[in-house]
Amino acid sequence: MISSVADQQNLDQVRQRVFLALFIALAVSLHTFEALLPNPLPWFRIGLANILALTALELYGLRAMWTLTLSRIFIGSLLLGNLFGPGFLLSLTGGLAACLLMSAGAVLLRRGIGLVGLSVLGASGHVCGQLLIAEWIVVQHAAIWLLLPAFLLFALVSGVLNGFAADYLTDQLLRQEAFAACRKSFGPASAEK
Amino acid sequence: MALKALWRRTTRVDRALVLALALLSGFSLWVVVDREPGGQVVIYRGEEVAYVGPLSHDRLLNIHGPLGDTRVEIEAGRVRVLRSPCPRKICISLGQVWKSGDLLACVPNRVVVRIEGEEGRGYDLLSR
Amino acid sequence: MLNRPLSLLLVIGLGLLLLWSQRDRAASEVTRTALIMGTLVEIKAVGSDENKLEDAINNAFDVMRRVEAEFSPQVPNSAIARLNQTAETSEIPSSVRDLVELGEQVRLESNGAFSMALGGVKELWAIETENPQVPTREQLEAVLPPLDSPALLLDGLIARRSSTLVRLDLGGIAKGYAVDRALEQLRDRGLRSASVNAGGDIGVLGGHAERPWRIGIQHPRKQGELLATLEARDQAIVTSGDYERYFERDGRRYHHIFDPRSGQPASGCQSVSVVAPSAALADALATAVFVLGPEAGMRLLEQRSEAEGLIVAANGEAIVSSGLKERLQWR
């Protein structure tokens, strides 16, 4: 049996879809898991699922990252039962802002940025998006911004940690044959796309 | 050793971004801490401001007006007029105020005390 | 392959921008106070140009000071003071004429409950001074002006007191008039959202930016508490209460709203709040209703379709006019 280039492309596409679906499932489980963690502040999220968003970005590109993030927010909220509730709104704006910043970083700083940097951008967006919506709709009180310094610090730490985790994960994944078609898009030792 | 391995996973841009966020975090802390929590007490003598201070600051003030000294007390987050040289002592009978927008006034001695702040109190204007 | 995410990015970015722009954009509220007509006047204005707001407010205060100069019996050369000093005719400005005509209308409608002629009675009680006193019946009868005549006889802009017993005092209507003139000034200066509060006599121009102005009515017996609140746009609300200016003697409380029939403080109500298109009208009606008491007072209010009111009777019972029932939110 001779495999043609077209077949190979088809195979890669199917692989991408399957793995993206798996990543989404993983992201959803992380999303719901962290919603159950004890948290002094209601409705605010840590953003563990971003590890997978970064992985999707690295392996499959921007579109995959957006797909993954939006899917896991909606599916996760459906599972948690708070679709369109305040928790959902906060996740959504946090996720959207994170994706925006990460997209900007991926496009503008393509040469030179790594997963840690992207993750830090994403974490900052996540935090600011949540505070914005929290002030505007949920709490309606400017005092919420008093939390900004603590949140930014938290974004820093979680961003760096998530970045390392995603970098390690992608390294491991890229050693597998199933991901032979992908290349490292960002970070040290990444080839020119 | 593990730290070095981690370090190798970052790029120069990454490190710059982390530094930027750390600085932003520190800056926002400075900005936030600089704000005075709670309401402000503003006392006018006629048209000019005689005193501005936070509601949380206990003080005893003497405001000098055309009839004499009006004594204003800020204590435990509330403000009231203790003594005043006016004939009717209406300002004293107004009691304590503490909510944003509340007013105390000794009209004959031209002393006005206002509480300014962010919290709403359910209405904009009081008809009395 | 990068086009789709990029355009999606743009759309979402625009969407967020749209959301962001919905927030209260740069609308600031400027509040200034001044001591005019023996009371604390507070003017609030909402808009985007703070300098414009401040200028307009200062002009409004000036207008109110001019009203005080014209209508106060204490100011030596005011039209009112001059009329009080002579039995002869005197020329009055059209503003005084207009206000006197309004007052006379309310006097007729209220069967004399509202009077602009009680300056002598007020002086007898000396309620604004350090030594108020309780006059005897004889003393009061000596200064009470005749009940069924207007305070002033008018011929165009020439006026004369109808009797030497009349001492003009427009205290029950001039503050409201000052509020109206201040609002007019603010409107002329291009403001669309403002309020004037002269010691509880309130007039509002437009609403408070996007929403109406929320007005609280003082509880007549519980200091620092509200009786009710209501929302208003382009209206005036004036409250007359027995708790504002009073003194106590021998266990009895004497306040400053006098019944023109007896010269004694009216005892039918604790407080009356009137909502009307102008503050001058609301002021006059509030005084009239207070003197008339709950039943006759409510009848007077229902007679005037453009006026509504809330009466707290002497026994504490609250009565609301038909048009106001749905607007009030009780506390």
Side-chain angles (χ1 to χ4, degrees), chain C:
Chain C
M1 193 43 189
L2 215 56
N3 268 332
R4 293 280 289 276
L6 211 57
S7 41
L8 185 62
L9 231 144
L10 274 171
V11 169
I12 295 185
L14 278 168
L16 285 176
L17 209 65
L18 201 68
L19 274 178
W20 175 264
S21 68
Q22 293 309 320
R23 302 174 73 220
D24 247 47
R25 280 305 214 126
S28 48
E29 181 184 286
V30 176
T31 303
R32 291 285 175 271
T33 54
L35 291 165
I36 305 178
M37 298 176 103
T39 194
L40 185 65
V41 183
E42 185 184 66
I43 301 188
K44 288 187 206 248
V46 182
S48 46
D49 184 348
E50 282 201 21
N51 286 324
K52 175 176 161 192
L53 297 179
E54 285 225 34
D55 282 342
I57 293 180
N58 284 327
N59 282 317
F61 281 137
D62 285 338
V63 164
M64 292 182 82
R65 290 189 188 100
R66 284 205 288 277
V67 170
E68 178 177 24
E70 240 170 19
F71 287 89
S72 167
Q74 276 91 36
V75 172
N77 249 329
S78 70
I80 305 300
R82 278 186 283 119
L83 282 167
N84 277 338
Q85 279 150 18
T86 173
E88 304 302 315
T89 59
S90 159
E91 188 168 340
I92 55 175
S94 56
S95 53
V96 176
R97 191 263 320 266
D98 292 340
L99 194 57
V100 166
E101 277 181 352
L102 176 63
E104 173 63 11
Q105 243 181 48
V106 178
R107 184 190 76 86
L108 288 171
E109 278 171 26
S110 65
N111 286 325
F114 177 76
S115 168
M116 296 182 283
L118 299 176
V121 172
K122 247 180 153 169
E123 266 172 35
L124 202 54
W125 284 89
I127 200 160
E128 312 269 334
T129 74
E130 284 203 38
N131 301 306
Q133 53 153 359
V134 182
T136 65
R137 192 133 64 111
E138 291 79 34
Q139 284 176 305
L140 280 172
E141 272 169 21
V143 296
L144 273 180
L147 260 183
D148 291 318
S149 33
L152 278 186
L153 298 170
L154 287 172
D155 180 11
L157 291 176
I158 311 290
R160 170 168 81 80
R161 291 180 292 154
S162 61
S163 137
T164 46
L165 286 172
V166 168
R167 300 262 307 160
L168 282 172
D169 188 300
L170 271 63
I173 193 173
K175 233 186 336 177
Y177 183 74
V179 169
D180 291 329
R181 297 282 73 72
L183 283 175
E184 189 183 59
Q185 176 69 214
L186 294 170
R187 191 182 309 123
D188 287 346
R189 299 249 150 205
L191 267 58
R192 286 197 299 280
S193 171
S195 70
V196 180
N197 186 345
D201 290 13
I202 295 174
V204 300
L205 170 63
H208 180 290
E210 308 293 306
R211 56 164 177 83
W213 287 95
R214 287 180 301 220
I215 301 176
I217 299 179
Q218 168 81 46
H219 193 293
R221 288 295 179 259
K222 293 190 204 159
Q223 216 266 316
E225 273 188 40
L226 292 184
L227 188 60
T229 56
L230 75 150
E231 299 189 332
R233 280 181 204 270
D234 290 312
Q235 270 191 325
I237 169 163
V238 171
T239 299
S240 285
D242 65 359
Y243 50 84
E244 297 172 81
R245 278 190 241 251
Y246 63 89
F247 69 97
E248 295 193 357
R249 190 71 36 93
D250 301 325
R252 274 189 68 181
R253 189 190 277 201
Y254 300 93
H255 62 81
H256 72 298
I257 306 173
F258 300 108
D259 188 332
R261 295 167 290 207
S262 62
Q264 303 276 350
S267 54
C269 310
Q270 289 183 11
S271 81
V272 172
S273 303
V274 175
V275 181
S278 81
L281 179 61
D283 205 352
L285 283 176
T287 309
V289 169
F290 194 100
V291 169
L292 284 174
E295 284 107 33
M298 190 48 76
R299 278 201 299 272
L300 176 62
L301 283 176
E302 300 284 17
Q303 246 179 280
R304 274 239 186 200
S305 61
E306 75 271 38
E308 304 292 340
L310 159 65
I311 305 177
V312 180
N315 62 4
E317 185 190 339
I319 312 163
V320 186
S321 68
S322 46
L324 198 58
K325 284 204 172 84
E326 319 232 297
R327 288 176 63 184
L328 277 183
Q329 284 175 322
W330 296 98
R331 288 302 185 92

Side-chain angles (χ1 to χ4, degrees), chain A residues 117-130:
Chain A
L118 282 168
S119 176
V120 160
L121 280 175
S124 319
H126 191 74
V127 151
C128 291
Q130 290 193 72

Side-chain angles (χ1 to χ4, degrees), chain A residues 33-85:
Chain A
F33 167 68
E34 72 178 13
L36 301 171
L37 285 175
N39 188 355
L41 296 155
W43 303 315
F44 282 92
R45 303 280 177 259
I46 311 171
L48 284 173
N50 223 32
I51 299 177
L52 289 153
L54 287 163
T55 307
L57 174 59
E58 171 93 324
L59 296 174
Y60 296 130
L62 275 175
R63 196 163 172 204
M65 177 192 78
W66 280 94
T67 309
L68 181 137
T69 303
L70 291 172
S71 308
R72 70 108 177 143
I73 291 174
F74 278 93
I75 299 176
S77 295
L78 266 174
L79 275 175
L80 284 173
N82 69 353
L83 194 60
F84 300 132

